[in-house]
Short mmCIF file of all heavy atoms in Angstrom, two decimals:
data_model
loop_
_atom_site.label_atom_id
_atom_site.label_comp_id
_atom_site.label_asym_id
_atom_site.label_seq_id
_atom_site.Cartn_x
_atom_site.Cartn_y
_atom_site.Cartn_z
N PRO E 1547 92.15 172.28 141.16
CA PRO E 1547 92.95 173.16 140.29
C PRO E 1547 92.08 173.99 139.37
O PRO E 1547 90.89 173.74 139.24
CB PRO E 1547 93.79 172.14 139.50
CG PRO E 1547 92.88 170.95 139.39
CD PRO E 1547 92.11 170.89 140.68
N GLY E 1548 92.70 174.96 138.71
CA GLY E 1548 91.97 175.81 137.77
C GLY E 1548 92.73 177.10 137.54
O GLY E 1548 93.74 177.39 138.20
N SER E 1549 92.24 177.88 136.60
CA SER E 1549 92.87 179.17 136.30
C SER E 1549 92.88 180.03 137.55
O SER E 1549 91.83 180.25 138.18
CB SER E 1549 92.11 179.87 135.18
OG SER E 1549 92.11 179.08 134.01
N LEU E 1550 94.04 180.53 137.92
CA LEU E 1550 94.21 181.20 139.20
C LEU E 1550 93.29 182.40 139.36
O LEU E 1550 92.53 182.49 140.33
CB LEU E 1550 95.68 181.63 139.36
CG LEU E 1550 96.02 182.38 140.64
CD1 LEU E 1550 95.79 181.51 141.86
CD2 LEU E 1550 97.47 182.88 140.60
N TYR E 1551 93.35 183.33 138.40
CA TYR E 1551 92.62 184.59 138.56
C TYR E 1551 91.19 184.55 138.03
O TYR E 1551 90.37 185.40 138.41
CB TYR E 1551 93.39 185.73 137.86
CG TYR E 1551 94.62 186.18 138.61
CD1 TYR E 1551 95.89 185.83 138.17
CD2 TYR E 1551 94.50 186.94 139.76
CE1 TYR E 1551 97.02 186.24 138.86
CE2 TYR E 1551 95.63 187.36 140.45
CZ TYR E 1551 96.89 187.01 140.00
OH TYR E 1551 98.01 187.42 140.69
N THR E 1552 90.87 183.62 137.17
CA THR E 1552 89.53 183.62 136.57
C THR E 1552 88.66 182.43 136.99
O THR E 1552 87.48 182.39 136.65
CB THR E 1552 89.63 183.65 135.03
OG1 THR E 1552 90.44 182.55 134.58
CG2 THR E 1552 90.24 184.96 134.57
N SER E 1553 89.23 181.46 137.72
CA SER E 1553 88.44 180.32 138.18
C SER E 1553 88.47 180.15 139.70
O SER E 1553 87.45 179.87 140.31
CB SER E 1553 88.91 179.02 137.52
OG SER E 1553 88.63 179.02 136.14
N LEU E 1554 89.65 180.33 140.30
CA LEU E 1554 89.78 180.12 141.74
C LEU E 1554 89.49 181.36 142.56
O LEU E 1554 88.61 181.36 143.43
CB LEU E 1554 91.18 179.60 142.08
CG LEU E 1554 91.65 178.31 141.40
CD1 LEU E 1554 92.98 177.88 141.97
CD2 LEU E 1554 90.62 177.22 141.58
N ILE E 1555 90.22 182.43 142.27
CA ILE E 1555 90.09 183.64 143.08
C ILE E 1555 88.70 184.26 143.03
O ILE E 1555 88.25 184.80 144.05
CB ILE E 1555 91.19 184.65 142.66
CG1 ILE E 1555 92.56 184.16 143.17
CG2 ILE E 1555 90.89 186.06 143.19
CD1 ILE E 1555 93.72 185.05 142.84
N PRO E 1556 87.94 184.20 141.92
CA PRO E 1556 86.57 184.75 141.97
C PRO E 1556 85.72 184.18 143.10
O PRO E 1556 84.89 184.90 143.68
CB PRO E 1556 86.00 184.37 140.60
CG PRO E 1556 87.19 184.35 139.70
CD PRO E 1556 88.30 183.82 140.54
N ASN E 1557 85.90 182.91 143.45
CA ASN E 1557 85.17 182.34 144.58
C ASN E 1557 85.61 182.96 145.90
O ASN E 1557 84.82 183.07 146.84
CB ASN E 1557 85.41 180.82 144.65
CG ASN E 1557 84.85 180.09 143.46
OD1 ASN E 1557 83.65 179.97 143.28
ND2 ASN E 1557 85.75 179.59 142.62
N LEU E 1558 86.89 183.36 145.97
CA LEU E 1558 87.43 183.91 147.20
C LEU E 1558 87.19 185.40 147.33
O LEU E 1558 87.63 186.02 148.30
CB LEU E 1558 88.94 183.61 147.27
CG LEU E 1558 89.30 182.12 147.12
CD1 LEU E 1558 90.81 181.94 147.20
CD2 LEU E 1558 88.59 181.28 148.16
N LEU E 1559 86.49 185.98 146.35
CA LEU E 1559 86.05 187.38 146.46
C LEU E 1559 84.69 187.47 147.13
O LEU E 1559 84.13 188.56 147.26
CB LEU E 1559 85.99 188.01 145.06
CG LEU E 1559 87.32 188.09 144.30
CD1 LEU E 1559 87.11 188.68 142.92
CD2 LEU E 1559 88.35 188.90 145.09
N VAL E 1560 84.16 186.32 147.55
CA VAL E 1560 82.90 186.26 148.30
C VAL E 1560 83.27 186.15 149.78
O VAL E 1560 83.70 185.08 150.24
CB VAL E 1560 82.05 185.06 147.86
CG1 VAL E 1560 80.73 185.02 148.61
CG2 VAL E 1560 81.81 185.11 146.35
N PRO E 1561 83.15 187.21 150.57
CA PRO E 1561 83.67 187.23 151.95
C PRO E 1561 83.12 186.12 152.83
O PRO E 1561 83.85 185.56 153.65
CB PRO E 1561 83.25 188.61 152.46
CG PRO E 1561 83.10 189.45 151.24
CD PRO E 1561 82.59 188.53 150.19
N ASP E 1562 81.85 185.78 152.68
CA ASP E 1562 81.25 184.75 153.54
C ASP E 1562 81.92 183.39 153.33
O ASP E 1562 82.09 182.61 154.28
CB ASP E 1562 79.75 184.64 153.27
CG ASP E 1562 78.99 185.88 153.69
OD1 ASP E 1562 79.52 186.61 154.56
OD2 ASP E 1562 77.89 186.13 153.17
N LEU E 1563 82.28 183.08 152.08
CA LEU E 1563 82.96 181.82 151.81
C LEU E 1563 84.35 181.80 152.43
O LEU E 1563 84.76 180.80 153.03
CB LEU E 1563 83.07 181.59 150.30
CG LEU E 1563 81.77 181.37 149.52
CD1 LEU E 1563 82.09 181.06 148.06
CD2 LEU E 1563 80.95 180.24 150.12
N VAL E 1564 85.07 182.91 152.30
CA VAL E 1564 86.42 183.00 152.86
C VAL E 1564 86.37 182.85 154.38
O VAL E 1564 87.17 182.12 154.99
CB VAL E 1564 87.06 184.34 152.47
CG1 VAL E 1564 88.39 184.53 153.21
CG2 VAL E 1564 87.29 184.41 150.97
N LYS E 1565 85.42 183.52 155.00
CA LYS E 1565 85.28 183.45 156.46
C LYS E 1565 84.98 182.02 156.91
O LYS E 1565 85.54 181.53 157.90
CB LYS E 1565 84.17 184.39 156.91
CG LYS E 1565 83.99 184.47 158.42
CD LYS E 1565 82.90 185.46 158.79
CE LYS E 1565 82.69 185.50 160.31
NZ LYS E 1565 81.61 186.46 160.68
N ALA E 1566 84.10 181.34 156.18
CA ALA E 1566 83.74 179.96 156.54
C ALA E 1566 84.92 179.02 156.37
O ALA E 1566 85.15 178.14 157.22
CB ALA E 1566 82.55 179.50 155.69
N ILE E 1567 85.69 179.18 155.28
CA ILE E 1567 86.86 178.31 155.05
C ILE E 1567 87.91 178.54 156.13
O ILE E 1567 88.49 177.60 156.68
CB ILE E 1567 87.46 178.57 153.66
CG1 ILE E 1567 86.46 178.21 152.56
CG2 ILE E 1567 88.73 177.75 153.47
CD1 ILE E 1567 86.87 178.66 151.18
N ALA E 1568 88.18 179.81 156.45
CA ALA E 1568 89.20 180.14 157.44
C ALA E 1568 88.85 179.60 158.82
O ALA E 1568 89.74 179.28 159.61
CB ALA E 1568 89.39 181.66 157.49
N ALA E 1569 87.55 179.49 159.11
CA ALA E 1569 87.12 179.06 160.43
C ALA E 1569 87.16 177.54 160.60
O ALA E 1569 87.15 177.04 161.73
CB ALA E 1569 85.70 179.55 160.71
N ARG E 1570 87.21 176.80 159.51
CA ARG E 1570 87.17 175.34 159.60
C ARG E 1570 88.53 174.77 160.02
O ARG E 1570 89.56 175.11 159.45
CB ARG E 1570 86.77 174.72 158.26
CG ARG E 1570 85.32 174.92 157.90
CD ARG E 1570 84.41 174.29 158.91
NE ARG E 1570 84.46 172.83 158.87
CZ ARG E 1570 84.16 172.06 159.90
NH1 ARG E 1570 83.84 172.59 161.06
NH2 ARG E 1570 84.19 170.74 159.78
N ARG E 1571 88.51 173.90 161.00
CA ARG E 1571 89.73 173.21 161.45
C ARG E 1571 89.70 171.78 160.92
O ARG E 1571 89.52 170.81 161.66
CB ARG E 1571 89.80 173.25 162.98
CG ARG E 1571 90.04 174.65 163.52
CD ARG E 1571 91.39 175.19 163.07
NE ARG E 1571 91.61 176.57 163.49
CZ ARG E 1571 91.46 177.62 162.72
NH1 ARG E 1571 91.07 177.44 161.45
NH2 ARG E 1571 91.67 178.83 163.15
N VAL E 1572 89.82 171.68 159.62
CA VAL E 1572 89.86 170.40 158.92
C VAL E 1572 90.99 170.45 157.91
O VAL E 1572 91.52 171.53 157.62
CB VAL E 1572 88.51 170.11 158.21
CG1 VAL E 1572 87.38 169.99 159.21
CG2 VAL E 1572 88.20 171.19 157.16
N PRO E 1573 91.40 169.32 157.34
CA PRO E 1573 92.44 169.36 156.29
C PRO E 1573 92.01 170.24 155.13
O PRO E 1573 90.92 170.07 154.58
CB PRO E 1573 92.56 167.89 155.86
CG PRO E 1573 92.13 167.11 157.05
CD PRO E 1573 91.04 167.92 157.69
N ARG E 1574 92.86 171.19 154.76
CA ARG E 1574 92.59 172.10 153.64
C ARG E 1574 93.82 172.13 152.74
O ARG E 1574 94.93 172.32 153.23
CB ARG E 1574 92.28 173.51 154.16
CG ARG E 1574 91.09 173.59 155.10
CD ARG E 1574 91.01 174.95 155.78
NE ARG E 1574 92.22 175.21 156.57
CZ ARG E 1574 92.44 176.34 157.27
NH1 ARG E 1574 91.54 177.30 157.26
NH2 ARG E 1574 93.55 176.49 157.95
N ILE E 1575 93.62 171.94 151.45
CA ILE E 1575 94.75 171.82 150.54
C ILE E 1575 94.46 172.57 149.24
O ILE E 1575 93.30 172.66 148.81
CB ILE E 1575 95.05 170.33 150.24
CG1 ILE E 1575 96.38 170.18 149.50
CG2 ILE E 1575 93.92 169.67 149.49
CD1 ILE E 1575 96.88 168.74 149.42
N TYR E 1576 95.51 173.12 148.67
CA TYR E 1576 95.42 173.82 147.38
C TYR E 1576 96.14 172.97 146.33
O TYR E 1576 97.29 172.55 146.53
CB TYR E 1576 96.05 175.20 147.48
CG TYR E 1576 96.36 175.85 146.15
CD1 TYR E 1576 95.37 176.05 145.19
CD2 TYR E 1576 97.66 176.28 145.86
CE1 TYR E 1576 95.65 176.64 143.98
CE2 TYR E 1576 97.96 176.89 144.64
CZ TYR E 1576 96.95 177.06 143.71
OH TYR E 1576 97.23 177.65 142.50
N VAL E 1577 95.47 172.72 145.22
CA VAL E 1577 96.06 171.96 144.11
C VAL E 1577 96.58 172.96 143.08
O VAL E 1577 95.79 173.64 142.40
CB VAL E 1577 95.03 171.02 143.46
CG1 VAL E 1577 95.69 170.22 142.35
CG2 VAL E 1577 94.43 170.08 144.51
N CYS E 1578 97.88 173.06 142.97
CA CYS E 1578 98.48 174.04 142.07
C CYS E 1578 98.48 173.54 140.63
O CYS E 1578 98.57 172.34 140.36
CB CYS E 1578 99.92 174.33 142.51
SG CYS E 1578 100.67 175.74 141.66
N ASN E 1579 98.40 174.47 139.69
CA ASN E 1579 98.45 174.13 138.27
C ASN E 1579 99.82 173.56 137.89
O ASN E 1579 100.83 173.85 138.53
CB ASN E 1579 98.14 175.35 137.42
CG ASN E 1579 96.71 175.80 137.55
OD1 ASN E 1579 95.85 175.04 137.98
ND2 ASN E 1579 96.44 177.04 137.18
N ILE E 1580 99.82 172.80 136.81
CA ILE E 1580 101.08 172.21 136.33
C ILE E 1580 101.83 173.20 135.44
O ILE E 1580 103.06 173.31 135.51
CB ILE E 1580 100.80 170.91 135.56
CG1 ILE E 1580 100.11 169.89 136.47
CG2 ILE E 1580 102.08 170.32 134.98
CD1 ILE E 1580 99.62 168.65 135.73
N MET E 1581 101.09 173.92 134.59
CA MET E 1581 101.69 174.88 133.65
C MET E 1581 101.17 176.28 133.95
O MET E 1581 100.08 176.46 134.51
CB MET E 1581 101.34 174.49 132.22
CG MET E 1581 101.63 173.05 131.84
SD MET E 1581 103.38 172.62 131.87
CE MET E 1581 104.01 173.56 130.46
N THR E 1582 101.96 177.28 133.56
CA THR E 1582 101.51 178.66 133.67
C THR E 1582 100.45 178.94 132.61
O THR E 1582 100.25 178.16 131.67
CB THR E 1582 102.68 179.63 133.50
OG1 THR E 1582 103.23 179.47 132.17
CG2 THR E 1582 103.77 179.37 134.53
N GLU E 1583 99.75 180.07 132.75
CA GLU E 1583 98.72 180.44 131.79
C GLU E 1583 98.99 181.84 131.26
O GLU E 1583 99.18 182.78 132.06
CB GLU E 1583 97.34 180.40 132.44
CG GLU E 1583 96.90 178.99 132.82
CD GLU E 1583 95.45 178.97 133.30
OE1 GLU E 1583 94.55 179.12 132.46
OE2 GLU E 1583 95.24 178.81 134.50
N PRO E 1584 99.02 182.00 129.94
CA PRO E 1584 99.30 183.33 129.37
C PRO E 1584 98.22 184.33 129.75
O PRO E 1584 97.03 184.03 129.70
CB PRO E 1584 99.33 183.07 127.86
CG PRO E 1584 98.58 181.80 127.66
CD PRO E 1584 98.80 180.99 128.89
N GLY E 1585 98.64 185.51 130.14
CA GLY E 1585 97.68 186.55 130.53
C GLY E 1585 97.24 186.45 131.97
O GLY E 1585 96.50 187.32 132.44
N GLU E 1586 97.67 185.42 132.69
CA GLU E 1586 97.29 185.27 134.09
C GLU E 1586 98.51 185.00 134.99
O GLU E 1586 98.74 185.73 135.95
CB GLU E 1586 96.27 184.15 134.27
CG GLU E 1586 94.88 184.47 133.78
CD GLU E 1586 93.82 183.53 134.36
OE1 GLU E 1586 93.87 183.27 135.57
OE2 GLU E 1586 92.96 183.07 133.60
#
Side-chain angles (χ1 to χ4, degrees):
S1549 300
L1550 178 63
Y1551 286 106
T1552 55
S1553 292
L1554 302 187
I1555 288 180
N1557 295 290
L1558 306 180
L1559 298 178
V1560 181
D1562 294 337
L1563 294 184
V1564 172
K1565 183 178 178 181
I1567 297 170
R1570 289 299 290 155
R1571 292 296 176 260
V1572 297
R1574 301 169 300 179
I1575 191 169
Y1576 164 57
V1577 182
C1578 190
N1579 291 341
I1580 300 172
M1581 309 295 291
T1582 62
E1583 293 187 73
E1586 287 198 44

